[in-house]
Amino acid sequence: MKLILTTILCGVFYLSMGQNTLSNNENENMKRLFLIGIMVLSAVAGFAQNNTKIDKLKEQQKVLKLTTELNKLQLEYEKEKSTNIELKKKVADINSEADVATAEFNTANASNTVKDADSTIKKLKKVKSINKKLKRSQKTLAKMEKKIAKLQKKIDESNKKIEFVDNQ
Protein backbone atom coordinates (compact mmCIF):
# COMPACT_ATOMS: atom_id res chain seq x y z
CA MET A 1 0.00 0.00 0.00
CA LYS A 2 2.90 2.34 0.80
CA LEU A 3 4.45 1.53 -2.57
CA ILE A 4 1.26 2.52 -4.38
CA LEU A 5 1.02 5.84 -2.53
CA THR A 6 4.68 6.62 -3.17
CA THR A 7 4.29 5.87 -6.89
CA ILE A 8 1.22 8.06 -7.14
CA LEU A 9 2.91 10.96 -5.36
CA CYS A 10 6.00 10.68 -7.58
CA GLY A 11 3.81 10.61 -10.66
CA VAL A 12 1.84 13.68 -9.58
CA PHE A 13 5.06 15.53 -8.79
CA TYR A 14 6.56 14.54 -12.15
CA LEU A 15 3.44 15.65 -14.02
CA SER A 16 3.34 18.98 -12.24
CA MET A 17 7.00 19.57 -12.98
CA GLY A 18 6.70 18.40 -16.58
CA GLN A 19 3.97 20.82 -17.61
CA ASN A 20 6.47 23.61 -18.21
CA THR A 21 8.98 21.62 -20.25
CA LEU A 22 6.82 19.10 -22.17
CA SER A 23 4.55 19.74 -25.13
CA ASN A 24 0.79 19.13 -24.83
CA ASN A 25 1.00 15.86 -26.76
CA GLU A 26 3.77 14.55 -24.54
CA ASN A 27 1.92 15.80 -21.47
CA GLU A 28 -1.23 13.89 -22.52
CA ASN A 29 0.82 10.74 -23.14
CA MET A 30 2.36 11.06 -19.68
CA LYS A 31 -1.08 11.46 -18.09
CA ARG A 32 -2.37 8.35 -19.88
CA LEU A 33 0.71 6.40 -18.91
CA PHE A 34 0.33 7.59 -15.33
CA LEU A 35 -3.35 6.55 -15.22
CA ILE A 36 -2.54 3.16 -16.70
CA GLY A 37 0.13 2.74 -14.03
CA ILE A 38 -2.34 3.62 -11.28
CA MET A 39 -4.87 1.10 -12.63
CA VAL A 40 -2.23 -1.63 -12.79
CA LEU A 41 -1.09 -0.90 -9.26
CA SER A 42 -4.71 -0.93 -8.05
CA ALA A 43 -5.25 -4.33 -9.66
CA VAL A 44 -2.07 -5.69 -8.10
CA ALA A 45 -3.14 -4.37 -4.70
CA GLY A 46 -6.54 -6.05 -5.12
CA PHE A 47 -4.94 -9.37 -5.94
CA ALA A 48 -2.62 -9.02 -2.96
CA GLN A 49 -5.62 -8.61 -0.66
CA ASN A 50 -7.22 -11.72 -2.17
CA ASN A 51 -3.98 -13.61 -1.54
CA THR A 52 -4.09 -12.72 2.15
CA LYS A 53 -7.67 -13.97 2.36
CA ILE A 54 -6.66 -17.18 0.59
CA ASP A 55 -3.70 -17.60 2.93
CA LYS A 56 -6.00 -17.08 5.91
CA LEU A 57 -8.45 -19.69 4.61
CA LYS A 58 -5.63 -22.15 3.96
CA GLU A 59 -4.36 -21.62 7.49
CA GLN A 60 -7.87 -22.18 8.87
CA GLN A 61 -8.14 -25.37 6.83
CA LYS A 62 -4.81 -26.52 8.26
CA VAL A 63 -6.09 -25.80 11.79
CA LEU A 64 -9.25 -27.82 11.16
CA LYS A 65 -7.23 -30.74 9.84
CA LEU A 66 -4.91 -30.63 12.86
CA THR A 67 -7.89 -30.38 15.21
CA THR A 68 -9.45 -33.45 13.62
CA GLU A 69 -6.18 -35.33 14.02
CA LEU A 70 -5.95 -34.15 17.64
CA ASN A 71 -9.49 -35.36 18.39
CA LYS A 72 -8.73 -38.80 16.93
CA LEU A 73 -5.54 -39.02 18.94
CA GLN A 74 -7.37 -38.03 22.12
CA LEU A 75 -9.95 -40.77 21.52
CA GLU A 76 -7.17 -43.33 21.05
CA TYR A 77 -5.54 -41.99 24.20
CA GLU A 78 -8.73 -42.44 26.24
CA LYS A 79 -9.12 -46.02 24.94
CA GLU A 80 -5.52 -46.80 25.83
CA LYS A 81 -5.99 -45.18 29.23
CA SER A 82 -8.99 -47.42 30.01
CA THR A 83 -6.98 -50.45 28.87
CA ASN A 84 -4.16 -49.33 31.13
CA ILE A 85 -6.50 -49.05 34.12
CA GLU A 86 -7.81 -52.58 33.49
CA LEU A 87 -4.25 -53.89 33.21
CA LYS A 88 -3.33 -52.22 36.51
CA LYS A 89 -6.24 -54.00 38.20
CA LYS A 90 -5.20 -57.35 36.70
CA VAL A 91 -1.60 -56.80 37.72
CA ALA A 92 -2.62 -56.01 41.28
CA ASP A 93 -4.81 -59.14 41.50
CA ILE A 94 -2.26 -61.45 39.92
CA ASN A 95 0.61 -60.02 41.97
CA SER A 96 -1.30 -60.69 45.18
CA GLU A 97 -2.07 -64.25 44.01
CA ALA A 98 1.58 -64.81 43.18
CA ASP A 99 2.66 -63.48 46.56
CA VAL A 100 0.32 -65.90 48.31
CA ALA A 101 1.43 -68.80 46.08
CA THR A 102 5.11 -68.26 46.81
CA ALA A 103 4.49 -68.13 50.57
CA GLU A 104 2.59 -71.44 50.72
CA PHE A 105 5.43 -73.87 50.05
CA ASN A 106 5.51 -76.85 52.41
CA THR A 107 8.61 -79.03 52.61
CA ALA A 108 6.84 -81.90 54.38
CA ASN A 109 5.44 -83.41 51.17
CA ALA A 110 7.90 -83.33 48.25
CA SER A 111 5.42 -84.24 45.47
CA ASN A 112 2.98 -81.50 46.55
CA THR A 113 5.88 -79.04 46.73
CA VAL A 114 6.82 -79.81 43.11
CA LYS A 115 3.20 -79.31 42.01
CA ASP A 116 3.02 -76.06 43.98
CA ALA A 117 6.28 -74.92 42.43
CA ASP A 118 4.99 -75.66 38.93
CA SER A 119 1.77 -73.74 39.52
CA THR A 120 3.76 -70.91 41.07
CA ILE A 121 6.03 -70.78 38.01
CA LYS A 122 2.97 -70.55 35.77
CA LYS A 123 1.53 -67.75 37.90
CA LEU A 124 4.83 -65.90 37.87
CA LYS A 125 5.07 -66.18 34.08
CA LYS A 126 1.55 -64.79 33.85
CA VAL A 127 2.53 -61.95 36.17
CA LYS A 128 5.57 -61.25 34.03
CA SER A 129 3.56 -61.12 30.78
CA ILE A 130 0.87 -58.86 32.25
CA ASN A 131 3.51 -56.55 33.74
CA LYS A 132 5.12 -56.40 30.31
CA LYS A 133 1.76 -55.46 28.76
CA LEU A 134 1.27 -52.79 31.42
CA LYS A 135 4.71 -51.34 30.75
CA ARG A 136 4.02 -51.26 27.00
CA SER A 137 0.67 -49.57 27.63
CA GLN A 138 2.32 -46.92 29.82
CA LYS A 139 4.92 -46.23 27.11
CA THR A 140 2.14 -45.88 24.55
CA LEU A 141 0.30 -43.43 26.80
CA ALA A 142 3.46 -41.35 27.25
CA LYS A 143 4.05 -41.24 23.48
CA MET A 144 0.44 -40.25 22.87
CA GLU A 145 0.69 -37.46 25.45
CA LYS A 146 3.74 -36.09 23.64
CA LYS A 147 1.95 -36.26 20.27
CA ILE A 148 -1.11 -34.52 21.71
CA ALA A 149 1.04 -31.74 23.18
CA LYS A 150 2.89 -31.34 19.86
CA LEU A 151 -0.35 -31.14 17.87
CA GLN A 152 -1.82 -28.67 20.34
CA LYS A 153 1.28 -26.50 19.96
CA LYS A 154 0.93 -26.58 16.15
CA ILE A 155 -2.73 -25.62 16.42
CA ASP A 156 -1.92 -22.74 18.75
CA GLU A 157 0.80 -21.46 16.39
CA SER A 158 -1.55 -21.64 13.43
CA ASN A 159 -4.26 -19.81 15.37
CA LYS A 160 -1.74 -17.07 16.16
CA LYS A 161 -0.95 -16.77 12.43
CA ILE A 162 -4.65 -16.45 11.64
CA GLU A 163 -5.11 -13.79 14.31
CA PHE A 164 -2.06 -11.92 12.99
CA VAL A 165 -3.53 -11.92 9.46
CA ASP A 166 -6.85 -10.66 10.87
CA ASN A 167 -5.13 -7.76 12.62
CA GLN A 168 -3.38 -6.55 9.47
Side-chain angles (χ1 to χ4, degrees), residues 125-158:
K125 284 183 180 179
K126 193 174 182 182
V127 166
K128 183 179 177 182
S129 70
I130 290 181
N131 279 330
K132 200 179 221 182
K133 287 180 185 177
L134 179 63
K135 185 177 179 180
R136 195 176 314 128
S137 175
Q138 288 172 336
K139 281 184 181 179
T140 304
L141 285 174
K143 286 179 184 179
M144 286 180 156
E145 287 172 356
K146 287 180 183 178
K147 283 183 183 179
I148 288 172
K150 192 175 182 180
L151 273 175
Q152 189 63 50
K153 184 178 177 181
K154 282 183 183 179
I155 290 170
D156 292 342
E157 288 173 0
S158 294

Side-chain angles (χ1 to χ4, degrees), residues 7 17 22 25 27 31 41 46 76-77 85 89 94 120-121 126 132 135 143 150 158 161 165:
T7 307
M17 293 294 290
L22 298 175
N25 194 18
N27 196 11
K31 286 181 182 178
L41 288 174
E76 290 176 24
Y77 178 80
I85 290 170
K89 288 178 184 176
I94 291 177
T120 303
I121 289 172
K126 193 174 182 182
K132 200 179 221 182
K135 185 177 179 180
K143 286 179 184 179
K150 192 175 182 180
S158 294
K161 287 180 186 177
V165 171

Side-chain angles (χ1 to χ4, degrees):
M1 198 62 164
K2 291 179 182 179
L3 178 67
I4 294 171
L5 291 174
T6 307
T7 307
I8 292 171
L9 288 175
C10 289
V12 169
F13 179 72
Y14 184 72
L15 285 176
S16 66
M17 293 294 290
Q19 287 180 352
N20 295 335
T21 59
L22 298 175
S23 67
N24 282 339
N25 194 18
E26 289 175 336
N27 196 11
E28 288 296 319
N29 286 340
M30 283 298 271
K31 286 181 182 178
R32 286 184 188 143
L33 191 62
F34 178 69
L35 289 174
I36 290 172
I38 289 176
M39 288 190 286
V40 168
L41 288 174
S42 299
V44 168
F47 288 126
Q49 289 175 353
N50 281 341
N51 285 341
T52 58
K53 288 180 184 178
I54 290 172
D55 290 342
K56 178 184 170 187
L57 290 174
K58 284 182 181 179
E59 202 64 37
Q60 286 175 342
Q61 184 180 17
K62 180 181 171 184
V63 168
L64 289 174
K65 187 176 181 181
L66 289 173
T67 304
T68 303
E69 190 176 336
L70 177 67
N71 289 340
K72 286 180 184 177
L73 194 58
Q74 285 174 336
L75 282 173
E76 290 176 24
Y77 178 80
E78 290 301 322
K79 287 178 185 176
E80 187 65 32
K81 195 173 181 180
S82 66
T83 303
N84 188 285
I85 290 170
E86 290 174 17
L87 283 172
K88 283 181 182 179
K89 288 178 184 176
K90 280 184 181 179
V91 164
D93 291 342
I94 291 177
N95 278 340
S96 64
E97 286 178 23
D99 288 343
V100 169
T102 56
E104 291 179 353
F105 285 121
N106 187 358
T107 57
N109 190 350
S111 64
N112 284 343
T113 304
V114 170
K115 288 179 185 176
D116 288 343
D118 286 338
S119 68
T120 303
I121 289 172
K122 288 179 184 177
K123 287 180 183 179
L124 290 175
K125 284 183 180 179
K126 193 174 182 182
V127 166
K128 183 179 177 182
S129 70
I130 290 181
N131 279 330
K132 200 179 221 182
K133 287 180 185 177
L134 179 63
K135 185 177 179 180
R136 195 176 314 128
S137 175
Q138 288 172 336
K139 281 184 181 179
T140 304
L141 285 174
K143 286 179 184 179
M144 286 180 156
E145 287 172 356
K146 287 180 183 178
K147 283 183 183 179
I148 288 172
K150 192 175 182 180
L151 273 175
Q152 189 63 50
K153 184 178 177 181
K154 282 183 183 179
I155 290 170
D156 292 342
E157 288 173 0
S158 294
N159 280 334
K160 286 179 185 177
K161 287 180 186 177
I162 291 171
E163 289 173 11
F164 180 71
V165 171
D166 282 343
N167 290 336
Q168 284 185 340

